[in-house]
Amino acid sequence: MNTGRTSRAVRIGDVTIGGGAPVAVQSMTKTDTRDAKATVAQIRELEECGCEIVRVAVPDAEAARAIAEIRKGIRIPLVADIHFDYRLALMALESGADGLRLNPGNIGEEEKVKAVALAAKERGVPIRIGLNAGSLPKTDPTLGVAERMVNSALEQIRLLESLDFDLIKVSLKAFDVPTTIEAYRMIADRVPYPLHIGITESGTPRKGIIRSAVGIGTLLYLGIGDTIRVSLTGHPREEVLAGYEILKSLNLRQYGPVLVSCPTCGRAEADVVKLAEAVEAALEKIDRPVKVAVMGCVVNGPGEAMDADVGIACGKGKGVIFKKGKKVAVVVEKDFFTALMREVEGG
Ligand code: SF4
């Protein structure tokens, strides 16, 4: 699997991106950045569920100024998302932004990009060159979208490098998964910088999580990607939780519980769906990594339940509870949930 592309390490606040550091999970607020109170409240919610870097939109000067207030109320590094106006980038830096996401291509003349790069360098603040397929400059129409994204990113990387700036991260996002994968594979071989990966505008949680998991998961499996964002039309908490599920699926991070539950079938001898849903909800309150199995019968049940930290193999009216591979109790159906959770909570 992982071909182990080791990118150059870049620090944002106290989080290291690349250089072999754990793949970091990020999200973006959906509040009006000018409303510092609401934005801080949302970022705190994101911190609670494990978000490691947060990005806020900076559409105007008031939003850039609000970063100073937001910064005081949060613990994780904050990235200011800037388009078009380089003065907003300078103001966001003044306000204490830990990172900038911009597209130097839409900032305008080199002098403006230079002013931003100098101010960022002085503060040790990294810049993410963030390309989106939807806002690519019209260049050679014979080239595909992935190639045009890569060429545009390379041009902008060279511009920052010519200004002696190398605190660079890169993202090349498209809605189309194969295009995104192709673009990242190309750039991964051409630059040493850490890559922020994601599928842009991937949709509402139900569809978007799948689309993102396929795109982000494929890239991570190929060893490409140093930080991720699952972009969803929904609460940003969903983005963070989905991000961790992707990383846990590839054994790249351990974060909170993992629930193994069987799909149930005609052999199930208990209401496994209800039990699994209740266990999933209860596990949301647990921070530590623990693997819990909820299985519907004695065919695959004992094997999976024994393989988990804590598991139950349900039978007719009775279930066997396993802990670290050993049978610890036989319980009646009405006690399935409480007996299982007692073992989980017992550590
Ligand atoms: Fe069916 Fe049993 Fe497998 Fe669940 S564990 S899917 S009930 S065979």
Side-chain angles (χ1 to χ4, degrees):
M1 70 164 253
N2 206 311
T3 56
R5 171 187 186 263
T6 303
S7 52
R8 186 180 293 179
V10 168
R11 273 183 80 76
I12 171 159
D14 56 4
V15 177
T16 301
I17 305 290
V23 177
V25 175
Q26 18 189 318
S27 186
M28 186 167 183
T29 52
K30 315 219 169 172
T31 49
D32 183 337
T33 309
R34 291 167 293 198
D35 184 345
K37 201 170 158 212
T39 304
V40 166
Q42 189 163 81
I43 295 173
R44 285 195 179 153
E45 266 187 85
L46 294 176
E47 288 175 341
E48 282 295 303
C49 63
C51 182
E52 293 169 310
I53 297 168
V54 70
R55 180 158 49 113
V56 300
V58 182
D60 60 21
E62 200 184 332
R65 280 193 295 270
I67 288 174
E69 188 61 28
I70 296 167
R71 216 46 222 86
K72 285 187 216 149
I74 64 170
R75 295 193 303 267
I76 55 176
L78 178 147
V79 177
D81 189 274
I82 315 279
H83 284 279
F84 306 114
D85 190 344
Y86 81 108
R87 290 168 303 181
L88 296 178
L90 296 178
M91 288 175 72
L93 289 170
E94 283 287 321
S95 295
D98 303 284
L100 295 177
R101 180 268 167 140
L102 45 88
N103 187 335
N106 72 24
I107 291 291
E109 302 97 71
E110 198 173 314
E111 280 311 303
K112 294 177 179 171
V113 177
K114 190 172 180 177
V116 175
L118 272 178
K121 193 175 174 185
E122 259 172 40
R123 293 168 171 82
V125 165
I127 295 177
R128 166 156 70 94
I129 295 173
L131 271 287
N132 272 11
S135 56
L136 275 180
K138 303 253 175 298
T139 51
D140 188 347
T142 61
L143 300 178
V145 175
E147 221 168 341
R148 282 194 288 136
M149 279 205 286
V150 170
N151 287 349
S152 183
L154 288 173
E155 207 175 289
Q156 296 174 24
I157 289 166
R158 302 301 171 232
L159 172 58
L160 288 183
E161 285 175 340
S162 74
L163 301 170
D164 200 23
F165 187 89
D166 65 357
L167 300 174
I168 299 171
K169 295 183 284 165
V170 185
S171 66
L172 307 168
K173 300 183 185 178
F175 171 76
D176 186 67
V177 173
T179 301
T180 307
I181 293 171
E182 198 188 333
Y184 277 106
R185 289 187 77 172
M186 281 195 259
I187 199 103
D189 286 338
R190 315 241 330 237
V191 298
Y193 303 111
L195 300 176
H196 166 118
I197 61 172
I199 302 298
T200 196
E201 294 124 18
S202 66
T204 54
R206 192 167 168 181
K207 305 269 169 65
I209 288 174
I210 295 170
R211 183 169 275 272
S212 296
V214 172
I216 294 172
T218 303
L219 284 165
L220 290 173
Y221 188 75
L222 294 170
I224 295 170
D226 303 284
T227 176
I228 64 172
R229 179 198 173 195
V230 177
S231 305
L232 297 174
T233 313
H235 195 285
R237 189 193 318 107
E238 300 286 328
E239 300 187 352
V240 176
L241 298 177
Y244 277 109
E245 285 306 318
I246 294 170
L247 296 176
K248 287 193 291 187
S249 301
L250 290 165
N251 300 332
L252 289 172
R253 294 283 300 264
Q254 280 205 323
Y255 186 85
V258 173
L259 176 64
V260 180
S261 62
C262 84
T264 90
C265 70
R267 289 190 196 88
E269 294 180 307
D271 190 346
V272 177
V273 176
K274 195 169 152 204
L275 178 61
E277 283 175 355
V279 171
E280 184 174 58
L283 291 179
E284 276 177 20
K285 298 179 189 76
I286 291 176
D287 290 338
R288 67 194 158 77
V290 56
K291 189 173 175 189
V292 180
V294 174
M295 304 297 292
C297 77
V298 292
V299 176
N300 295 320
E304 287 289 357
M306 284 168 78
D307 189 48
D309 293 311
V310 180
I312 183 165
C314 304
K316 196 165 181 58
K318 280 193 212 151
V320 183
I321 305 233
F322 295 88
K323 190 164 190 178
K324 306 274 182 211
K326 292 206 173 71
K327 183 170 155 181
V328 290
V330 176
V331 292
V332 294
E333 190 163 352
K334 72 172 178 44
D335 296 333
F336 282 178
F337 174 78
T338 39
L340 184 71
M341 291 312 297
R342 193 183 309 126
E343 294 301 335
V344 173
E345 280 151 12

